[in-house]
Amino acid sequence: MGEKIVIIDFGSQYTQLIGRRIRELRHYAEIYPFYEAEKVLAGADVAAIKGIILSGGPNSVYDQGAPVIPKNLLNRNIPVLGICYGLQLISHLSGGRVEPAEHREYGRAELRIRKKTALLDGMSAGSVVWMSHGDKVSRLPKDFEVLAVTQSSPFAAIGNIKKKIFGVQFHPEVQHTKEGKILLKNFAEKICGMKPTWTMKNFAREKIREIREITGNERVLLGLSGGVDSTVTAKLLHDAIGDRLSCVYVDTGLMRLNETHAVTERFRRTMGIHLHVVQAEKVFLTALEGVTDPEQKRKIIGRLFLEEFRKKALELGHHEFLAQGTLYTDVIESVSVKGPSQTIKSHHNRVKEVLELMKAGRVIEPLRELFKDEVRRLGLTLKIPREALFRHPFPGPGLAIRILGEVTRERVQLLQKADAILLEELKHKKLYSRIWQAFAVFLPIQSVGVMGDQRTYENVIALRMVESLDGMTADFARVPHDFLGHISNRIINEVRGVNRVVYDISSKPPATIEWE
């Protein structure tokens, strides 16, 4: 991928955000847990590393077992930027002093620049920054100087100008730091000397070349869900190897209304990709009879999907490669920042299991370097229809986890219709793109209603609409009450078996976005 910035993770909730911000500035960045820092900086492509960012984290540098890096990593002639805990660690390793603050500093603060430097160039006087720390630097290391302060932090930004080692006590990666992108851009371009060449057009060209080189004349098998990740994976592979790609879509009967038809049309007609469809609704619904536990539902659906996929794969003949729509978030989250002994390998174990089932030799993951927003941008570059790229997230187990209680064909059909009305109205009112995710939920309760002159005792549908940036946190969407009323009337009038509609106004946290 050419030149890059390496981000060393010390357990901050914002580490992925640092990577995304750097990439938004068109610079490539990779994230590694702290215990891999020395190995990464001794790797064969160390010459490509133009800068290092040390993330924040929940620890104190003096905690027993606190995450650290070898001191000599600060002497590699590679520019370094420490953020929050990263600043404190730089100070600690360089001979400064860090101690608990009398009061934890959390929230907005005004930055006052004390020395003009490339790092802070272009930031305005009194720029708002976001603080979140319990420790503080109380004595600077030798050869470091104060670059900026806040009312509560005399060392809000520090630097060893000669060695190009900098630290900031605030978080430039979060939205609350109004000019954080200016600082990160300065670090990448003015201090690390990088050029903004990380674009999806360049990525697509390089990845297609790489796919052709890796696969040679072998065939590739891909399991499709019809979602954004698998759609972009399929298009990228098809552009690279054409008909040597086999795509398999398993219709579980738990998808959105008319989803199988829409997926088939999109792949076969719009993108010219041959698609093998496995009709397995009866298999899945039979296996789910009487099952109410959501985790058990997930396991049954996952197992059956692999079985149906395997049958079709064997029917299609040998494929040397199995393609996965793995994203960079999957790669990062499969490695625990707490250390090798606590590393979570669930993703890699799943891949190995699928490979064995498919009798495929190797796995290929064309999107493993990309975040979700980058996948969408790549899709636009590949000329995938916009409506296919900006669809709301849909869970792997499908409507089975949006039906609380037992899954039956009648409940699936009822929920499909209610959900379709919700999405149709959002698009009609041009609210769909404003909402991060919207869906209907079937509740396993019945309530009394009145239709005409008769009392009814029928089902309840809950509507869920949330606004979010990445799904990590979310809040309910403030849609007009008359709009909610219109949707409720349509569902009750058009979906037989429903006489009550409710709206979920809980946020995440404490609730989750999905109900199960």
Side-chain angles (χ1 to χ4, degrees), residues 113 115-123 147 161 164 166 181-193:
I113 297 173
K115 182 180 177 67
K116 289 187 176 181
T117 59
L119 182 70
L120 305 177
D121 187 35
M123 296 185 71
L147 307 181
I161 309 297
K164 297 184 179 180
F166 300 89
K181 269 196 172 182
I182 295 176
L183 186 150
L184 294 173
K185 182 179 176 71
N186 287 341
F187 178 70
E189 297 180 13
K190 296 185 177 181
I191 294 171
C192 300

Side-chain angles (χ1 to χ4, degrees), residues 7 15 25 59 64-65 79 82 96 102 139 143 146 161 194 242 248 302 311 323-324 341 362 413 512-513:
I7 300 164
T15 301
L25 293 165
N59 296 89
Q64 185 175 0
E102 292 181 10
R139 187 186 70 210
D143 298 326
V146 176
I161 309 297
M194 298 176 71
V248 175
K311 289 177 188 174
Q324 299 268 119
S341 63
R362 289 175 279 175
Q413 292 174 345
T512 54
I513 295 177

Side-chain angles (χ1 to χ4, degrees), residues 409-422:
R409 177 175 279 102
E410 292 72 22
R411 288 181 173 185
V412 170
Q413 292 174 345
L414 184 152
L415 183 58
Q416 284 176 331
K417 293 173 184 176
D419 190 68
I421 290 171
L422 170 62

